[in-house]
Amino acid sequence: MIGFGAFFMSFTLSFQFYDLPLKHPFTISRYTVHVQKTVVVCISDGTISGYGEATANPYYHSTQERLQQTLSLLKPIVDASELIAPEDLWSKLHPLVGEDYFALCAVDMAYWDYYARKNQRTLRSYWSVDAAKTPLTSYTIGIDSTEVMQQKILEQPWPIYKIKLGTANDIALIKSLRLVTDSIFRIDANCAWTAEQTVAYAPILKELNVEFIEQPLKAEDTEGMKWVKQHAALPVLADESCQREDDVILCSEGFHGINIKLMKCGGITPALRMISQARKLGLKVMAGCMTESTVGISGLCQLAPLLDYIDADGALLLARDVADGVRFEAGQICYAQTAGTGVQIKP
């Protein structure tokens, strides 16, 4: 990271891009990733620093160039701000970012981290008094040959797996994976199925100890999802269909729950509002990640006490990380015993 001058009652924003190599090629129904490009944002007063993250993602039109442009636009606004509540800073920045909610997320997370550290509190303490009651994170198995997917499971014993599907032989694939583990499965089709496929697959998957299906249909297929919700033998959760706050009420008609991703919605600030709204609508709430470093994962896990499910394995898929912070033991979140999110950037 670049250096910072120490200014009384002021802070400044900087950012650094990284290439994060993965342990294995990571494939979903849309594309394959070998190296994840990401940006780490730092807000610092020279003594205390807070960190946030956003990744490049082709589906959401997030590129390094776009992230750099937006962060460069936001930097003078953040640098000129006083120490205000994170919600107030988000409201100030939101009108400026256009559609680049990924960059907004990175700044929002970094400021929440800085704000909590400045006040000598863990970030999760602002909304939870019992961080011990957190859901186990799943571990994601990307699409590959049956043998490779089986080997990934054997290499990483875990209580819950998220299995990416969208192949020509999805049911046969799940049956083959069942030969190597009894752990709970969660299925993520990433928009690859039809409504008819989803309803037909659901009772078979239920017999194979699948807990729920995530985003089976294309994001815009709202009528199809209403039919699926009525007829499927398993709960269905929205991911691509639930990007921002306005989507929550729409998703209540076609899904049993939502998966909130901080980069899609613009950070921790709107995620908290989405959780509250989902609870009022009787929806289950999950929060998920991209393939990202421990910077983003540590911010995400601060929300865990508010959730039913969490998918926070992004940093576990990396061959090399850029930070220390939250870690996991058999799916259980182990928080760093420091203020903020607990992130420490590696040398």
Side-chain angles (χ1 to χ4, degrees):
M1 306 296 289
I2 65 173
F4 302 95
F7 299 99
F8 183 71
M9 291 299 292
S10 66
F11 44 81
T12 188
L13 181 151
S14 69
F15 52 93
Q16 176 70 47
F17 286 93
Y18 296 93
D19 288 342
L20 306 177
L22 275 64
K23 293 178 183 176
H24 304 282
F26 185 73
T27 299
I28 64 173
S29 63
R30 294 189 291 266
Y31 50 77
T32 298
V33 177
H34 298 268
V35 176
Q36 178 62 60
K37 296 183 180 299
T38 195
V39 63
V40 173
V41 169
C42 178
I43 294 178
S44 178
D45 60 15
T47 301
I48 297 171
S49 299
Y51 300 96
E53 182 176 8
T55 64
N57 187 299
Y59 183 80
Y60 297 105
H61 310 293
S62 176
T63 64
Q64 284 189 319
E65 293 76 17
R66 187 184 192 184
L67 289 166
Q68 182 162 7
Q69 288 175 358
T70 305
L71 291 171
S72 297
L73 174 68
L74 298 182
K75 174 176 167 54
I77 311 301
V78 174
D79 291 357
S81 296
E82 298 177 352
L83 186 65
I84 56 177
E87 299 92 338
D88 294 334
L89 182 63
W90 191 93
S91 296
K92 180 189 293 189
L93 300 179
H94 177 230
L96 306 176
V97 301
E99 293 297 305
D100 194 356
Y101 280 64
F102 278 52
L104 180 59
C105 167
V107 176
D108 181 69
M109 184 185 296
Y111 187 68
W112 266 111
D113 186 23
Y114 173 82
Y115 187 83
R117 293 183 196 228
K118 189 78 171 176
N119 288 287
Q120 300 181 337
R121 295 176 59 174
T122 64
L123 182 47
R124 60 194 176 276
S125 71
Y126 283 90
W127 45 80
S128 174
V129 295
D130 190 0
K133 294 181 179 180
T134 58
L136 299 178
T137 185
S138 52
Y139 182 86
T140 304
I141 305 297
I143 296 172
D144 213 313
S145 69
T146 300
E147 294 74 19
V148 170
M149 293 176 74
Q150 288 177 326
Q151 187 58 38
K152 288 179 180 178
I153 289 174
L154 293 172
E155 286 177 4
Q156 187 72 63
W158 212 256
I160 306 169
Y161 293 101
K162 176 187 277 196
I163 311 296
K164 295 287 189 177
L165 293 181
T167 74
N169 303 290
D170 283 340
I171 296 299
L173 180 55
I174 293 299
K175 288 180 177 179
S176 297
L177 298 183
R178 269 285 162 241
L179 300 176
V180 297
T181 181
D182 294 326
S183 295
I184 293 170
F185 284 171
R186 296 168 180 171
I187 299 304
D188 187 358
N190 284 116
C191 311
W193 293 349
T194 65
E196 292 75 16
Q197 279 179 303
T198 306
V199 171
Y201 290 168
I204 304 171
L205 295 171
K206 187 175 182 178
E207 289 295 318
L208 292 167
N209 195 24
V210 169
E211 188 174 18
F212 59 74
I213 301 169
E214 187 178 338
Q215 196 66 47
L217 311 188
K218 294 186 184 302
E220 63 272 15
D221 192 357
T222 54
E223 293 304 314
M225 277 312 310
K226 290 178 185 178
W227 187 79
V228 167
K229 183 179 180 181
Q230 291 175 349
H231 295 93
L234 283 172
V236 284
L237 271 66
D239 184 357
E240 285 86 347
S241 292
C242 188
Q243 296 188 32
R244 298 174 191 159
E245 294 178 67
D246 292 344
D247 296 326
V248 177
I249 191 166
L250 299 175
C251 287
S252 66
E253 299 180 356
F255 297 90
H256 299 93
I258 59 171
N259 181 6
I260 299 169
K261 289 184 177 173
L262 300 184
M263 294 181 208
K264 293 191 304 182
C265 71
I268 290 170
T269 296
L272 290 167
R273 295 194 291 258
M274 292 172 74
I275 293 169
S276 176
Q277 186 178 15
R279 293 304 186 195
K280 292 175 183 176
L281 293 167
L283 295 172
K284 291 288 187 179
V285 182
M286 176 179 178
C289 63
M290 309 296 185
T291 305
E292 57 196 81
S293 80
T294 292
V295 175
I297 297 302
S298 296
L300 168 67
C301 285
Q302 302 303 311
L303 298 175
L306 304 178
L307 306 174
D308 299 299
Y309 318 109
I310 190 168
D311 177 35
D313 67 333
L316 297 176
L317 306 178
L318 302 178
R320 187 171 65 250
D321 205 341
V322 300
D324 295 313
V326 162
R327 58 185 181 84
F328 302 95
E329 293 181 359
Q332 183 65 51
I333 299 169
C334 301
Y335 291 105
Q337 299 303 307
T338 58
T341 67
V343 164
Q344 297 294 328
I345 301 297
K346 294 181 178 181

